[in-house]
């Protein structure tokens, strides 16, 4: 664990010094991964499936704010849908415009979360993201997470149903029906509830003063996701229960590692302080952070 803490502090020092160069690189990598996910799932527009186009779009994302990744990913999704069904593309575009007008005007700084949700589903670790969001960003991250779940549902529905209607005269009618099903899909609604509840519970517990609050929060948060999403996916036939169980285990281990590295504290050194002023009594619980040990010999 000490080696991980040393690595963490080293990364922080490097990022503090070279952050202006590293941030564009991270944006390019994240955008490239997201666009590849879209291409593999619904790559029906030949030009956008060209690796050079994907790389160029990723580089553009690297030069723009983080929210540009969600915007360009949405554009790629809409164009790929248009190649099969203009009506489905129009439905997704309307959804994207509503999100842009309502959400980006309210809290644009967390727009990147919208892209992270589909990426987490594609990597088979969707259970990790709401736990990390509840720990690190807070309750308001539930809004972009919910938006990302709906966006992923559009992509998933389209990927499952597009091939059956491609080139069919009834294609538009069938895809219009699917567009309506996206927003009423039972598993999507279960996922929305699970994500929002997990983020809220993890954030509340992790910010409490009880010992090991963050470890407790990720355990309860992961439990909420398992209780809601495992039966929902199995009963509705949306997911493989074995794959979900493996995903939950991996997600919990990664979230445990995340807590140990970024929120590692020493409860044995806890101090309780109290003081007062003319209006209040104050009680403060101070828990020291664990610092990496460096052997300089």
């Amino acid at each position: 664990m000490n080696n991980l803490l040393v690595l963490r502090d080293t990364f922080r020092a490097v990022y503090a010094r070279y952050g202006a160069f590293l941030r564009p690189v991270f944006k390019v990598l994240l955008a490239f991964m997201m666009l590849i996910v879209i291409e593999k799932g619904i790559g029906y527009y030949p030009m956008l499936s060209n690796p050079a186009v994907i790389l160029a779009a990723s580089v553009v994302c690297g030069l723009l704010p983080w929210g540009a990744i969600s915007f360009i990913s949405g554009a790629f999704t809409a164009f790929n849908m248009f190649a099969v069904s203009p009506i489905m593309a129009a439905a997704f575009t309307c959804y994207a415009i509503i999100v842009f007008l309502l959400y980006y005007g309210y809290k644009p700084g967390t727009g990147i979360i919208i892209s992270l949700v589909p990426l987490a589903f594609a990597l088979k670790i969707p259970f990790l993201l709401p736990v990390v969001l509840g720990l690190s960003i807070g309750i308001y991250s539930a809004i972009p997470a919910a938006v990302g779940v709906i966006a992923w549902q559009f992509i998933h529905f389209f990927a499952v149903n597009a091939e059956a209607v491609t080139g069919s005269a009834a294609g538009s009618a069938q895809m219009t029906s699917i567009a309506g099903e996206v927003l009423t899909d039972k598993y999507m609604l279960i996922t929305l509830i699970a994500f929002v509840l997990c983020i809220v519970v993890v954030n509340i517990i992790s910010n409490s003063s009880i010992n090991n609050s963050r470890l407790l929060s990720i355990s309860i948060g992961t439990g909420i996701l398992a209780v809601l999403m495992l039966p929902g996916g199995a009963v509705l036939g949306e997911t493989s229960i074995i794959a979900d169980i493996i995903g939950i285990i991996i997600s919990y281990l990664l979230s445990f590692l995340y807590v140990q590295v970024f929120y590692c504290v020493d409860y044995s050194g806890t101090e309780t302080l109290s003081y007062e002023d003319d209006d209040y009594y104050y009680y403060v619980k101070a828990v020291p952070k664990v610092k990496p040990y460096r052997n300089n010999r």
Side-chain angles (χ1 to χ4, degrees), residues 120-144:
F121 273 98
L123 296 176
K124 309 300 182 183
I125 50 171
F127 311 99
L128 173 65
L129 190 59
V131 174
V132 173
L133 292 177
L135 281 171
S136 57
I137 296 182
I139 291 177
Y140 61 83
S141 65
I143 298 175

Side-chain angles (χ1 to χ4, degrees), residues 272-293:
T272 302
L273 311 174
S274 63
Y275 55 94
E276 64 178 285
D277 58 19
D278 293 337
D279 299 311
Y280 294 96
Y281 289 98
Y282 300 90
Y283 300 92
V284 179
K285 181 179 180 179
V287 184
K289 295 180 179 180
V290 174
K291 299 294 184 181
Y293 170 76

Side-chain angles (χ1 to χ4, degrees), residues 172-278:
S172 294
Q174 294 182 37
M175 292 306 291
T176 302
S177 175
I178 292 171
E181 293 177 13
V182 168
L183 299 179
T184 58
D185 181 77
K186 293 180 180 179
Y187 183 69
M188 185 200 72
L189 296 176
I190 291 173
T191 303
L192 281 174
I193 294 171
F195 268 49
V196 172
L197 188 58
C198 174
I199 290 172
V200 171
V201 170
V202 167
N203 183 254
I204 292 174
I205 296 177
S206 65
N207 287 320
S208 67
S209 62
I210 61 176
N211 287 356
N212 298 304
S213 60
R214 292 184 175 88
L215 290 178
L216 179 62
S217 71
I218 66 172
S219 299
I220 295 177
T222 304
I224 290 172
L225 295 172
V227 168
L228 291 177
M229 294 179 66
L230 279 180
V235 172
L236 298 173
E238 292 286 342
T239 59
S240 165
I241 190 168
I242 301 299
D244 279 352
I245 290 175
I246 294 174
I248 284 177
I249 294 173
I250 294 175
S251 297
Y252 181 79
L253 293 175
L254 291 175
S255 60
F256 179 84
L257 183 63
Y258 179 78
V259 169
Q260 292 300 313
V261 172
F262 293 100
Y263 298 100
C264 191
V265 294
D266 179 14
Y267 284 101
S268 65
T270 301
E271 296 183 12
T272 302
L273 311 174
S274 63
Y275 55 94
E276 64 178 285
D277 58 19
D278 293 337

